[in-house]
Short mmCIF file of all heavy atoms in Angstrom, two decimals:
data_model
loop_
_atom_site.label_atom_id
_atom_site.label_comp_id
_atom_site.label_asym_id
_atom_site.label_seq_id
_atom_site.Cartn_x
_atom_site.Cartn_y
_atom_site.Cartn_z
N LEU H 5 78.10 80.56 81.28
CA LEU H 5 77.64 80.67 82.66
C LEU H 5 77.24 79.30 83.21
O LEU H 5 77.60 78.94 84.34
CB LEU H 5 76.46 81.64 82.72
CG LEU H 5 76.22 82.41 84.02
CD1 LEU H 5 77.44 83.23 84.38
CD2 LEU H 5 75.00 83.30 83.87
N LEU H 6 76.54 78.54 82.41
CA LEU H 6 76.11 77.22 82.84
C LEU H 6 77.28 76.24 82.94
O LEU H 6 77.28 75.35 83.81
CB LEU H 6 75.05 76.68 81.88
CG LEU H 6 73.72 77.46 81.85
CD1 LEU H 6 72.75 76.84 80.87
CD2 LEU H 6 73.10 77.54 83.25
N ASN H 7 78.28 76.42 82.10
CA ASN H 7 79.50 75.60 82.22
C ASN H 7 80.22 75.90 83.53
O ASN H 7 80.71 74.98 84.21
CB ASN H 7 80.44 75.87 81.04
CG ASN H 7 80.01 75.13 79.78
OD1 ASN H 7 79.40 74.07 79.85
ND2 ASN H 7 80.31 75.70 78.63
N ILE H 8 80.30 77.17 83.88
CA ILE H 8 80.92 77.55 85.16
C ILE H 8 80.15 76.93 86.31
O ILE H 8 80.73 76.37 87.25
CB ILE H 8 80.97 79.09 85.30
CG1 ILE H 8 81.96 79.69 84.30
CG2 ILE H 8 81.35 79.50 86.72
CD1 ILE H 8 81.90 81.20 84.19
N LEU H 9 78.83 77.03 86.25
CA LEU H 9 77.98 76.47 87.30
C LEU H 9 78.17 74.96 87.42
O LEU H 9 78.26 74.41 88.53
CB LEU H 9 76.52 76.81 87.01
CG LEU H 9 75.49 76.35 88.05
CD1 LEU H 9 75.80 76.95 89.42
CD2 LEU H 9 74.09 76.74 87.60
N SER H 10 78.28 74.31 86.28
CA SER H 10 78.46 72.85 86.28
C SER H 10 79.77 72.44 86.94
O SER H 10 79.82 71.49 87.73
CB SER H 10 78.43 72.34 84.83
OG SER H 10 78.65 70.95 84.79
N THR H 11 80.85 73.18 86.67
CA THR H 11 82.14 72.84 87.26
C THR H 11 82.19 73.15 88.75
O THR H 11 83.03 72.61 89.47
CB THR H 11 83.30 73.58 86.56
OG1 THR H 11 83.09 75.00 86.66
CG2 THR H 11 83.40 73.20 85.10
N CYS H 12 81.28 74.00 89.21
CA CYS H 12 81.24 74.37 90.64
C CYS H 12 80.16 73.61 91.40
O CYS H 12 79.83 73.96 92.54
CB CYS H 12 81.01 75.88 90.79
SG CYS H 12 82.38 76.89 90.18
N GLU H 13 79.62 72.59 90.77
CA GLU H 13 78.50 71.83 91.35
C GLU H 13 78.79 71.35 92.76
O GLU H 13 77.93 71.40 93.65
CB GLU H 13 78.18 70.63 90.45
CG GLU H 13 77.13 69.71 91.00
CD GLU H 13 76.93 68.46 90.15
OE1 GLU H 13 77.53 68.38 89.04
OE2 GLU H 13 76.18 67.57 90.58
N ASN H 14 80.01 70.89 93.00
CA ASN H 14 80.35 70.31 94.31
C ASN H 14 81.20 71.23 95.17
O ASN H 14 81.80 70.79 96.15
CB ASN H 14 81.07 68.98 94.10
CG ASN H 14 80.18 67.95 93.42
OD1 ASN H 14 79.03 67.77 93.79
ND2 ASN H 14 80.71 67.29 92.39
N ILE H 15 81.27 72.50 94.81
CA ILE H 15 82.04 73.46 95.60
C ILE H 15 81.08 74.19 96.52
O ILE H 15 80.34 75.09 96.09
CB ILE H 15 82.78 74.46 94.67
CG1 ILE H 15 83.73 73.70 93.76
CG2 ILE H 15 83.55 75.48 95.50
CD1 ILE H 15 84.45 74.57 92.75
N ASN H 16 81.07 73.81 97.79
CA ASN H 16 80.02 74.30 98.69
C ASN H 16 80.18 75.77 99.09
O ASN H 16 79.27 76.34 99.69
CB ASN H 16 79.90 73.42 99.93
CG ASN H 16 81.22 73.34 100.71
OD1 ASN H 16 82.13 74.13 100.51
ND2 ASN H 16 81.31 72.35 101.58
N TRP H 17 81.32 76.38 98.76
CA TRP H 17 81.48 77.80 99.11
C TRP H 17 81.19 78.71 97.92
O TRP H 17 81.31 79.93 98.04
CB TRP H 17 82.89 78.08 99.65
CG TRP H 17 84.02 77.49 98.85
CD1 TRP H 17 84.65 76.30 99.08
CD2 TRP H 17 84.65 78.05 97.70
NE1 TRP H 17 85.63 76.09 98.14
CE2 TRP H 17 85.65 77.15 97.28
CE3 TRP H 17 84.47 79.24 96.99
CZ2 TRP H 17 86.46 77.40 96.18
CZ3 TRP H 17 85.27 79.48 95.87
CH2 TRP H 17 86.25 78.57 95.49
N PHE H 18 80.78 78.15 96.79
CA PHE H 18 80.49 78.94 95.60
C PHE H 18 79.00 79.21 95.47
O PHE H 18 78.17 78.32 95.63
CB PHE H 18 80.97 78.20 94.35
CG PHE H 18 80.65 78.91 93.06
CD1 PHE H 18 81.50 79.88 92.55
CD2 PHE H 18 79.48 78.62 92.35
CE1 PHE H 18 81.21 80.55 91.37
CE2 PHE H 18 79.18 79.28 91.16
CZ PHE H 18 80.04 80.24 90.68
N LYS H 19 78.65 80.48 95.19
CA LYS H 19 77.26 80.88 94.98
C LYS H 19 77.20 81.81 93.76
O LYS H 19 78.07 82.68 93.59
CB LYS H 19 76.70 81.62 96.19
CG LYS H 19 76.56 80.78 97.45
CD LYS H 19 75.32 79.92 97.41
CE LYS H 19 75.06 79.23 98.74
NZ LYS H 19 73.82 78.44 98.73
N LEU H 20 76.16 81.63 92.94
CA LEU H 20 75.95 82.47 91.76
C LEU H 20 74.55 83.06 91.81
O LEU H 20 73.57 82.34 91.96
CB LEU H 20 76.12 81.64 90.49
CG LEU H 20 75.70 82.33 89.17
CD1 LEU H 20 76.65 83.49 88.84
CD2 LEU H 20 75.67 81.32 88.03
N ALA H 21 74.47 84.38 91.67
CA ALA H 21 73.17 85.06 91.59
C ALA H 21 73.18 85.99 90.39
O ALA H 21 74.14 86.74 90.19
CB ALA H 21 72.90 85.85 92.87
N ILE H 22 72.15 85.92 89.58
CA ILE H 22 72.06 86.79 88.41
C ILE H 22 70.74 87.54 88.43
O ILE H 22 69.78 87.12 89.09
CB ILE H 22 72.19 86.00 87.09
CG1 ILE H 22 71.00 85.05 86.89
CG2 ILE H 22 73.51 85.23 87.04
CD1 ILE H 22 70.96 84.37 85.54
N THR H 23 70.68 88.66 87.70
CA THR H 23 69.42 89.36 87.50
C THR H 23 69.16 89.45 86.01
O THR H 23 70.09 89.60 85.21
CB THR H 23 69.44 90.78 88.10
OG1 THR H 23 70.20 91.65 87.25
CG2 THR H 23 70.01 90.79 89.50
N CYS H 24 67.89 89.33 85.65
CA CYS H 24 67.55 89.39 84.23
C CYS H 24 66.04 89.58 84.06
O CYS H 24 65.28 89.56 85.04
CB CYS H 24 68.01 88.14 83.50
SG CYS H 24 67.16 86.63 84.02
N SER H 25 65.64 89.73 82.84
CA SER H 25 64.22 89.82 82.50
C SER H 25 63.68 88.41 82.24
O SER H 25 64.45 87.46 82.07
CB SER H 25 64.06 90.66 81.23
OG SER H 25 64.62 89.97 80.12
N PRO H 26 62.35 88.26 82.17
CA PRO H 26 61.78 86.95 81.83
C PRO H 26 62.29 86.42 80.49
O PRO H 26 62.46 85.20 80.32
CB PRO H 26 60.27 87.23 81.79
CG PRO H 26 60.08 88.40 82.70
CD PRO H 26 61.30 89.24 82.53
N ARG H 27 62.55 87.31 79.54
CA ARG H 27 63.03 86.88 78.22
C ARG H 27 64.35 86.14 78.32
O ARG H 27 64.55 85.09 77.70
CB ARG H 27 63.18 88.10 77.30
CG ARG H 27 63.63 87.75 75.88
CD ARG H 27 63.83 89.00 75.05
NE ARG H 27 65.04 89.71 75.43
CZ ARG H 27 66.25 89.44 74.93
NH1 ARG H 27 66.40 88.48 74.03
NH2 ARG H 27 67.30 90.14 75.32
N ILE H 28 65.28 86.67 79.11
CA ILE H 28 66.59 86.02 79.28
C ILE H 28 66.46 84.72 80.06
O ILE H 28 67.10 83.72 79.75
CB ILE H 28 67.58 86.98 79.98
CG1 ILE H 28 67.88 88.18 79.09
CG2 ILE H 28 68.88 86.25 80.34
CD1 ILE H 28 68.56 87.84 77.78
N TRP H 29 65.60 84.72 81.09
CA TRP H 29 65.43 83.49 81.85
C TRP H 29 64.85 82.38 80.98
O TRP H 29 65.22 81.21 81.12
CB TRP H 29 64.54 83.72 83.07
CG TRP H 29 64.33 82.48 83.88
CD1 TRP H 29 63.15 81.83 84.11
CD2 TRP H 29 65.33 81.68 84.54
NE1 TRP H 29 63.36 80.70 84.87
CE2 TRP H 29 64.69 80.59 85.15
CE3 TRP H 29 66.72 81.82 84.66
CZ2 TRP H 29 65.38 79.63 85.88
CZ3 TRP H 29 67.42 80.85 85.39
CH2 TRP H 29 66.76 79.78 85.99
N ARG H 30 63.99 82.74 80.03
CA ARG H 30 63.45 81.74 79.12
C ARG H 30 64.57 81.14 78.27
O ARG H 30 64.59 79.94 77.99
CB ARG H 30 62.37 82.35 78.23
CG ARG H 30 61.57 81.31 77.45
CD ARG H 30 60.42 81.96 76.68
NE ARG H 30 59.45 82.57 77.57
CZ ARG H 30 58.53 81.90 78.25
NH1 ARG H 30 58.47 80.57 78.15
NH2 ARG H 30 57.68 82.51 79.03
N LYS H 31 65.55 81.98 77.87
CA LYS H 31 66.70 81.48 77.13
C LYS H 31 67.50 80.50 77.98
O LYS H 31 67.97 79.45 77.50
CB LYS H 31 67.60 82.65 76.70
CG LYS H 31 67.12 83.43 75.49
CD LYS H 31 68.10 84.55 75.18
CE LYS H 31 67.84 85.14 73.82
NZ LYS H 31 68.16 84.19 72.72
N ILE H 32 67.66 80.82 79.26
CA ILE H 32 68.41 79.95 80.16
C ILE H 32 67.68 78.62 80.36
O ILE H 32 68.29 77.55 80.31
CB ILE H 32 68.64 80.65 81.52
CG1 ILE H 32 69.55 81.88 81.33
CG2 ILE H 32 69.28 79.68 82.53
CD1 ILE H 32 69.72 82.72 82.57
N THR H 33 66.36 78.68 80.54
CA THR H 33 65.61 77.44 80.75
C THR H 33 65.65 76.55 79.50
O THR H 33 65.62 75.33 79.61
CB THR H 33 64.14 77.74 81.10
OG1 THR H 33 63.52 78.48 80.04
CG2 THR H 33 64.04 78.52 82.39
N THR H 34 65.75 77.18 78.33
CA THR H 34 65.86 76.40 77.09
C THR H 34 67.14 75.57 77.10
O THR H 34 67.15 74.40 76.72
CB THR H 34 65.84 77.32 75.87
OG1 THR H 34 64.59 78.02 75.82
CG2 THR H 34 66.02 76.54 74.58
N GLN H 35 68.24 76.19 77.55
CA GLN H 35 69.51 75.45 77.60
C GLN H 35 69.54 74.42 78.73
O GLN H 35 70.29 73.45 78.68
CB GLN H 35 70.68 76.44 77.74
CG GLN H 35 70.88 77.33 76.53
CD GLN H 35 72.28 77.93 76.48
OE1 GLN H 35 73.24 77.34 76.94
NE2 GLN H 35 72.39 79.10 75.87
N LEU H 36 68.70 74.64 79.75
CA LEU H 36 68.64 73.70 80.87
C LEU H 36 67.66 72.56 80.63
O LEU H 36 67.59 71.62 81.43
CB LEU H 36 68.21 74.45 82.14
CG LEU H 36 69.23 75.38 82.80
CD1 LEU H 36 68.55 76.21 83.87
CD2 LEU H 36 70.38 74.58 83.40
N GLN H 37 66.92 72.65 79.55
CA GLN H 37 65.75 71.80 79.33
C GLN H 37 65.99 70.31 79.59
O GLN H 37 65.20 69.65 80.25
CB GLN H 37 65.25 71.99 77.90
CG GLN H 37 63.89 71.36 77.64
CD GLN H 37 63.33 71.77 76.29
OE1 GLN H 37 64.04 72.35 75.48
NE2 GLN H 37 62.08 71.47 76.06
N ASN H 38 67.09 69.77 79.11
CA ASN H 38 67.33 68.33 79.23
C ASN H 38 68.44 68.00 80.22
O ASN H 38 69.02 66.91 80.17
CB ASN H 38 67.68 67.75 77.85
CG ASN H 38 66.54 67.91 76.86
OD1 ASN H 38 65.39 67.66 77.20
ND2 ASN H 38 66.86 68.35 75.66
N ASN H 39 68.73 68.93 81.12
CA ASN H 39 69.82 68.70 82.07
C ASN H 39 69.26 68.81 83.50
O ASN H 39 69.28 69.87 84.11
CB ASN H 39 70.93 69.73 81.85
CG ASN H 39 72.21 69.35 82.57
OD1 ASN H 39 72.17 68.80 83.66
ND2 ASN H 39 73.35 69.66 81.96
N GLU H 40 68.79 67.69 84.01
CA GLU H 40 68.19 67.68 85.34
C GLU H 40 69.20 67.98 86.44
O GLU H 40 68.85 68.55 87.47
CB GLU H 40 67.51 66.33 85.60
CG GLU H 40 66.33 66.03 84.69
CD GLU H 40 65.24 67.10 84.81
OE1 GLU H 40 64.98 67.55 85.95
OE2 GLU H 40 64.65 67.47 83.77
N THR H 41 70.45 67.61 86.22
CA THR H 41 71.49 67.88 87.22
C THR H 41 71.69 69.37 87.41
O THR H 41 71.72 69.88 88.54
CB THR H 41 72.82 67.21 86.82
OG1 THR H 41 72.63 65.81 86.72
CG2 THR H 41 73.90 67.51 87.86
N LEU H 42 71.82 70.09 86.29
CA LEU H 42 71.99 71.54 86.38
C LEU H 42 70.74 72.21 86.94
O LEU H 42 70.83 73.17 87.70
CB LEU H 42 72.33 72.12 85.01
CG LEU H 42 73.81 72.23 84.65
CD1 LEU H 42 73.99 72.89 83.30
CD2 LEU H 42 74.58 73.00 85.71
N LYS H 43 69.58 71.71 86.57
CA LYS H 43 68.33 72.28 87.10
C LYS H 43 68.31 72.20 88.62
O LYS H 43 67.84 73.11 89.30
CB LYS H 43 67.13 71.52 86.53
CG LYS H 43 66.69 71.92 85.15
CD LYS H 43 65.40 71.18 84.80
CE LYS H 43 64.88 71.56 83.43
NZ LYS H 43 63.63 70.82 83.11
N SER H 44 68.82 71.10 89.15
CA SER H 44 68.77 70.87 90.59
C SER H 44 69.65 71.84 91.38
O SER H 44 69.53 71.93 92.61
CB SER H 44 69.18 69.44 90.91
OG SER H 44 70.57 69.24 90.67
N LEU H 45 70.54 72.56 90.70
CA LEU H 45 71.44 73.48 91.38
C LEU H 45 70.81 74.85 91.64
O LEU H 45 71.36 75.66 92.38
CB LEU H 45 72.72 73.67 90.56
CG LEU H 45 73.54 72.41 90.25
CD1 LEU H 45 74.78 72.78 89.44
CD2 LEU H 45 73.95 71.71 91.54
N TRP H 46 69.64 75.10 91.03
CA TRP H 46 69.01 76.42 91.12
C TRP H 46 68.03 76.49 92.29
O TRP H 46 67.25 75.57 92.53
CB TRP H 46 68.28 76.75 89.83
CG TRP H 46 69.22 77.02 88.69
CD1 TRP H 46 69.81 76.09 87.88
CD2 TRP H 46 69.71 78.29 88.27
NE1 TRP H 46 70.63 76.71 86.97
CE2 TRP H 46 70.58 78.06 87.18
CE3 TRP H 46 69.49 79.60 88.68
CZ2 TRP H 46 71.24 79.09 86.52
CZ3 TRP H 46 70.13 80.64 88.03
CH2 TRP H 46 71.00 80.39 86.97
N PHE H 47 68.06 77.62 92.98
CA PHE H 47 67.20 77.83 94.15
C PHE H 47 65.90 78.53 93.77
O PHE H 47 65.91 79.63 93.21
CB PHE H 47 67.95 78.68 95.19
CG PHE H 47 67.09 79.15 96.33
CD1 PHE H 47 66.78 78.29 97.37
CD2 PHE H 47 66.57 80.45 96.35
CE1 PHE H 47 65.97 78.71 98.42
CE2 PHE H 47 65.78 80.88 97.40
CZ PHE H 47 65.47 80.01 98.44
N ASP H 48 64.78 77.86 94.04
CA ASP H 48 63.44 78.47 94.00
C ASP H 48 63.16 79.23 92.69
O ASP H 48 62.95 80.44 92.70
CB ASP H 48 63.28 79.42 95.19
CG ASP H 48 61.85 79.90 95.35
OD1 ASP H 48 60.93 79.20 94.88
OD2 ASP H 48 61.65 81.00 95.93
N VAL H 49 63.17 78.49 91.58
CA VAL H 49 62.87 79.11 90.29
C VAL H 49 61.85 78.25 89.54
O VAL H 49 61.69 77.06 89.82
CB VAL H 49 64.13 79.26 89.41
CG1 VAL H 49 65.13 80.19 90.06
CG2 VAL H 49 64.77 77.90 89.13
#
């Protein structure tokens, strides 16, 4: 999912929305931990 998001970084017509529990979001934040560029793509989290 994060690879897809990374390749769509500059595609202004692409939007991704997911639903999950806090447990899954914690897993996602772990993978985002050292990637400030990917972090910057997320809205209000």
Side-chain angles (χ1 to χ4, degrees):
L5 208 58
L6 295 180
N7 281 331
I8 291 170
L9 183 58
S10 178
T11 59
C12 294
E13 175 185 353
N14 297 313
I15 300 177
N16 58 16
W17 47 265
F18 177 86
K19 294 280 188 177
L20 170 68
I22 66 173
T23 75
C24 66
S25 67
R27 182 183 74 87
I28 294 297
W29 180 243
R30 191 174 296 282
K31 282 180 167 291
I32 295 174
T33 60
T34 298
Q35 293 200 30
L36 287 170
Q37 191 171 11
N38 298 315
N39 194 324
E40 295 302 320
T41 300
L42 269 183
K43 279 186 178 180
S44 70
L45 301 180
W46 289 84
F47 170 79
D48 190 24
V49 297

